[in-house]
Amino acid sequence: MNNLLVVGFLAILSSTVSGFEFITEPEDVYVYAGETTTLECSFSNPEGAAYALNWYRGTTARPIGGDLYDRYSYVDPNYETSYKYDIKITNAQLEDDDDWFCEIDQGSQKILKSVTATLSLAMPIQSAFFTKDNETDYQPGEDIDFLYNEEGIISCTTTNSNPPTDIKILKVGDGELVELPLEEAYITDGSTEKSYNTMVTATIEKVWKKDNGYSLICQVEHLGETYEYNATMNVMYDPVINDLPMKIDAIRGTLFKQSCDADGNPTPSYVWYKDNASYSEQQQLTFDSAKDTDTGEYYCTAKNSLGMDTSSVMELTVVDGASTIAASITTVLFTLILARMVSS
């Protein structure tokens, strides 16, 4: 008889337990320190069975409300009859960063446990920076040095965020936008508790001169927000001098100018040579009033930190101008006329 009573009691208890069903359950959430968030937990109790519901943080039940837990409160003041046990956590703190779940109990028997959700204390991005060739760091807004016709390895790092960030590296210029292929993100612990540094790396297989002045954009996604950190590509290459004329005339007594023009980055310095001797350290060869002694063979060099180029030789001759020739002809004619007049 006793056995029959026990079986009957368990059957009744089983039907009571089966009446509980969660409608909403807590979900993973990020919340910034000092802000407010909500964890959901509601259920159906069609048989109106007696129950108790507890919230757990980690493995420990957490009373809701009261002086000790005044940062935790039920959203619905009628939670006991509505079965809506959503809790509001105000002034979120590091101690709230944990696993949370709700559980329905009957006496000492644990009846139904919700899914476990993680509440994470969000941390904003503290800083972001670029790294070139795994060696030199550059802050946003700075120029990043690249060498023409060579490979360039560029990394973007964000620091001390939670969760880790999602990063893209874009190259933008002349109406062109290219998303660079990335290696797998490298995530390490940040300098503050439960924070992370995120680094991604891209390889530019060949750097072109036209890339000079292009923007590199570190595009970062974090908790639904997009942030962009920009730097400028500074493509460096040795100078190449534009051709000089093989021969050129300077008019005696007049201003003469000839520029030595080179394409190079960094900007090159210039030296002019006359008859193989250094003549001027200006980009432009200038005679305020050309004279016969300025006649000679000239060439120029352009030099920067990466190399030097030498121009071809330019043969310069100081000649009489049209007005000088006309004056000479006039003088000769006047002399001939005067001589004829005298002889007659």
Coordinates of all heavy atoms in Angstrom, one line a residue, residues 89-125:
I89 N 19.4 45.4 -14.0 CA 20.6 45.6 -13.3 C 21.1 47.0 -13.6 O 21.4 47.4 -14.7 CB 21.7 44.6 -13.7 CG1 21.2 43.1 -13.5 CG2 23.0 44.8 -13.1 CD1 22.1 42.1 -14.1
T90 N 21.2 47.8 -12.5 CA 21.6 49.2 -12.7 C 23.0 49.4 -12.2 O 23.5 48.6 -11.4 CB 20.7 50.1 -11.9 OG1 20.7 49.8 -10.5 CG2 19.2 50.0 -12.4
N91 N 23.6 50.4 -12.7 CA 25.0 50.7 -12.4 C 25.9 49.5 -12.5 O 26.6 49.1 -11.5 CB 25.1 51.3 -10.9 CG 26.5 51.8 -10.6 OD1 27.3 52.2 -11.4 ND2 26.7 51.9 -9.3
A92 N 25.9 48.9 -13.7 CA 26.6 47.7 -13.9 C 28.1 47.8 -13.5 O 28.8 48.8 -13.7 CB 26.6 47.3 -15.4
Q93 N 28.6 46.7 -12.8 CA 29.9 46.7 -12.3 C 30.6 45.4 -12.7 O 30.0 44.5 -13.2 CB 29.9 46.8 -10.8 CG 29.3 48.1 -10.3 CD 29.1 48.2 -8.8 OE1 29.7 47.3 -8.1 NE2 28.4 49.1 -8.2
L94 N 31.9 45.4 -12.5 CA 32.7 44.3 -12.9 C 32.2 43.0 -12.2 O 32.3 41.9 -12.8 CB 34.2 44.5 -12.5 CG 35.2 43.4 -13.1 CD1 35.1 43.4 -14.6 CD2 36.6 43.8 -12.6
E95 N 31.7 43.0 -11.0 CA 31.2 41.8 -10.3 C 30.0 41.2 -11.0 O 29.7 40.0 -10.9 CB 30.9 42.2 -8.9 CG 29.7 43.1 -8.7 CD 29.3 43.3 -7.3 OE1 29.9 42.7 -6.4 OE2 28.3 44.0 -7.0
D96 N 29.3 42.0 -11.9 CA 28.2 41.5 -12.6 C 28.6 40.7 -13.8 O 27.8 40.0 -14.4 CB 27.3 42.7 -13.1 CG 26.8 43.5 -11.9 OD1 26.5 42.9 -10.8 OD2 26.7 44.7 -12.1
D97 N 29.8 40.8 -14.2 CA 30.4 40.1 -15.4 C 30.5 38.6 -15.0 O 31.5 38.2 -14.4 CB 31.7 40.7 -15.7 CG 32.3 40.2 -17.1 OD1 32.3 39.0 -17.3 OD2 32.6 41.0 -17.9
D98 N 29.5 37.9 -15.5 CA 29.4 36.5 -15.1 C 28.3 35.8 -15.9 O 27.7 36.4 -16.7 CB 29.1 36.3 -13.6 CG 29.7 35.1 -12.9 OD1 29.9 34.1 -13.6 OD2 30.1 35.2 -11.7
D99 N 28.2 34.4 -15.6 CA 27.1 33.7 -16.2 C 25.9 33.8 -15.3 O 26.0 33.8 -14.1 CB 27.5 32.2 -16.3 CG 28.6 31.9 -17.3 OD1 28.7 32.7 -18.3 OD2 29.3 31.0 -17.2
W100 N 24.7 34.0 -16.0 CA 23.4 34.2 -15.3 C 22.4 33.2 -15.8 O 22.3 32.9 -17.0 CB 22.9 35.6 -15.5 CG 23.7 36.7 -14.8 CD1 24.8 37.2 -15.2 CD2 23.3 37.4 -13.6 NE1 25.2 38.2 -14.3 CE2 24.3 38.3 -13.4 CE3 22.2 37.3 -12.8 CZ2 24.2 39.2 -12.3 CZ3 22.1 38.2 -11.7 CH2 23.1 39.1 -11.4
F101 N 21.6 32.6 -14.9 CA 20.4 31.8 -15.3 C 19.4 31.9 -14.2 O 19.6 32.3 -13.0 CB 20.8 30.4 -15.5 CG 21.3 29.6 -14.3 CD1 20.5 28.9 -13.5 CD2 22.7 29.6 -14.1 CE1 20.9 28.2 -12.4 CE2 23.2 28.9 -13.0 CZ 22.3 28.2 -12.1
C102 N 18.1 31.6 -14.5 CA 17.0 31.5 -13.6 C 16.6 30.1 -13.4 O 16.7 29.3 -14.4 CB 15.9 32.4 -13.9 SG 15.2 32.2 -15.6
E103 N 16.1 29.7 -12.3 CA 15.7 28.4 -12.0 C 14.4 28.3 -11.1 O 14.3 29.1 -10.2 CB 16.8 27.7 -11.2 CG 16.6 26.2 -11.0 CD 17.8 25.5 -10.4 OE1 18.0 25.7 -9.2 OE2 18.6 24.9 -11.1
I104 N 13.5 27.4 -11.5 CA 12.3 27.2 -10.8 C 12.5 26.0 -9.8 O 12.9 25.0 -10.2 CB 11.1 26.9 -11.8 CG1 10.9 28.1 -12.7 CG2 9.8 26.7 -11.0 CD1 9.9 27.8 -13.8
D105 N 12.1 26.3 -8.6 CA 12.3 25.2 -7.5 C 10.9 25.0 -6.9 O 10.0 25.9 -6.8 CB 13.3 25.6 -6.5 CG 14.6 25.9 -7.0 OD1 15.0 25.4 -8.1 OD2 15.4 26.7 -6.4
Q106 N 10.7 23.8 -6.4 CA 9.6 23.4 -5.5 C 10.2 22.7 -4.3 O 10.7 21.6 -4.4 CB 8.6 22.5 -6.2 CG 7.8 23.2 -7.3 CD 6.7 22.3 -7.9 OE1 7.0 21.1 -8.1 NE2 5.5 22.8 -8.1
G107 N 10.2 23.5 -3.2 CA 10.9 23.0 -2.0 C 12.3 22.8 -2.3 O 13.0 23.8 -2.8
S108 N 12.9 21.7 -2.0 CA 14.3 21.4 -2.2 C 14.5 20.8 -3.6 O 15.7 20.6 -4.0 CB 14.8 20.4 -1.2 OG 14.1 19.2 -1.2
Q109 N 13.5 20.7 -4.4 CA 13.6 20.0 -5.7 C 13.8 21.1 -6.8 O 13.0 22.1 -6.9 CB 12.4 19.2 -6.0 CG 12.6 18.4 -7.3 CD 11.5 17.4 -7.6 OE1 10.5 17.5 -6.9 NE2 11.6 16.6 -8.6
K110 N 14.8 21.0 -7.5 CA 15.1 21.9 -8.7 C 14.3 21.4 -9.8 O 14.5 20.3 -10.3 CB 16.6 22.0 -9.0 CG 17.4 22.5 -7.8 CD 18.9 22.6 -8.2 CE 19.7 23.1 -7.1 NZ 19.3 24.4 -6.5
I111 N 13.3 22.2 -10.3 CA 12.4 21.8 -11.3 C 12.8 22.1 -12.7 O 12.8 21.2 -13.6 CB 11.0 22.4 -11.0 CG1 10.5 22.1 -9.6 CG2 10.0 22.0 -12.1 CD1 10.4 20.6 -9.3
L112 N 13.1 23.4 -13.0 CA 13.4 23.8 -14.4 C 14.4 24.9 -14.4 O 14.3 25.9 -13.6 CB 12.1 24.3 -15.0 CG 12.1 24.4 -16.5 CD1 12.3 23.0 -17.2 CD2 10.7 25.0 -17.0
K113 N 15.5 24.7 -15.2 CA 16.5 25.7 -15.3 C 16.6 26.3 -16.6 O 16.5 25.6 -17.6 CB 17.9 25.0 -15.0 CG 19.1 25.9 -15.1 CD 20.4 25.1 -14.9 CE 21.6 25.9 -15.2 NZ 22.9 25.1 -15.1
S114 N 16.7 27.6 -16.7 CA 16.8 28.3 -18.0 C 18.2 28.1 -18.7 O 19.1 27.5 -18.1 CB 16.6 29.8 -17.8 OG 17.7 30.4 -17.2
V115 N 18.3 28.5 -19.9 CA 19.6 28.6 -20.5 C 20.5 29.5 -19.7 O 20.0 30.4 -19.0 CB 19.5 29.0 -22.0 CG1 18.7 28.1 -22.8 CG2 19.0 30.5 -22.1
T116 N 21.8 29.3 -19.8 CA 22.7 30.2 -19.2 C 23.2 31.3 -20.1 O 23.6 31.0 -21.3 CB 24.0 29.4 -18.7 OG1 23.5 28.4 -17.7 CG2 25.0 30.3 -18.0
A117 N 23.1 32.5 -19.7 CA 23.5 33.7 -20.5 C 24.7 34.3 -19.8 O 24.9 34.3 -18.6 CB 22.4 34.7 -20.7
T118 N 25.5 35.0 -20.6 CA 26.7 35.7 -20.1 C 26.5 37.2 -20.2 O 26.2 37.7 -21.2 CB 28.0 35.3 -20.9 OG1 28.2 33.9 -20.8 CG2 29.2 36.0 -20.3
L119 N 26.6 37.8 -19.0 CA 26.6 39.3 -19.0 C 28.1 39.7 -18.9 O 28.8 39.3 -18.0 CB 25.9 39.8 -17.7 CG 25.7 41.3 -17.6 CD1 24.4 41.6 -16.8 CD2 26.9 42.0 -17.0
S120 N 28.5 40.5 -19.9 CA 29.8 40.9 -20.0 C 29.9 42.4 -19.9 O 29.1 43.1 -20.5 CB 30.4 40.5 -21.4 OG 30.4 39.1 -21.6
L121 N 30.9 42.9 -19.1 CA 31.1 44.3 -18.9 C 31.8 44.8 -20.1 O 33.0 44.5 -20.4 CB 31.8 44.6 -17.6 CG 31.8 46.0 -17.1 CD1 30.4 46.4 -16.7 CD2 32.8 46.2 -16.0
A122 N 31.1 45.6 -20.9 CA 31.7 46.1 -22.1 C 32.8 47.2 -21.8 O 32.6 48.0 -20.9 CB 30.6 46.7 -23.1
M123 N 33.8 47.2 -22.6 CA 34.8 48.2 -22.5 C 35.1 48.9 -23.9 O 35.3 48.1 -24.8 CB 36.1 47.6 -21.9 CG 36.0 47.1 -20.5 SD 37.5 46.5 -19.8 CE 36.9 45.8 -18.3
P124 N 35.1 50.2 -23.9 CA 35.3 50.8 -25.2 C 36.7 50.7 -25.7 O 37.6 50.3 -24.9 CB 35.0 52.3 -24.9 CG 35.3 52.5 -23.5 CD 34.9 51.1 -22.8
I125 N 37.0 50.9 -27.0 CA 38.3 50.9 -27.5 C 39.1 52.0 -26.9 O 38.8 53.2 -26.9 CB 38.3 51.1 -29.1 CG1 37.4 50.0 -29.7 CG2 39.7 51.1 -29.7 CD1 37.0 50.3 -31.1

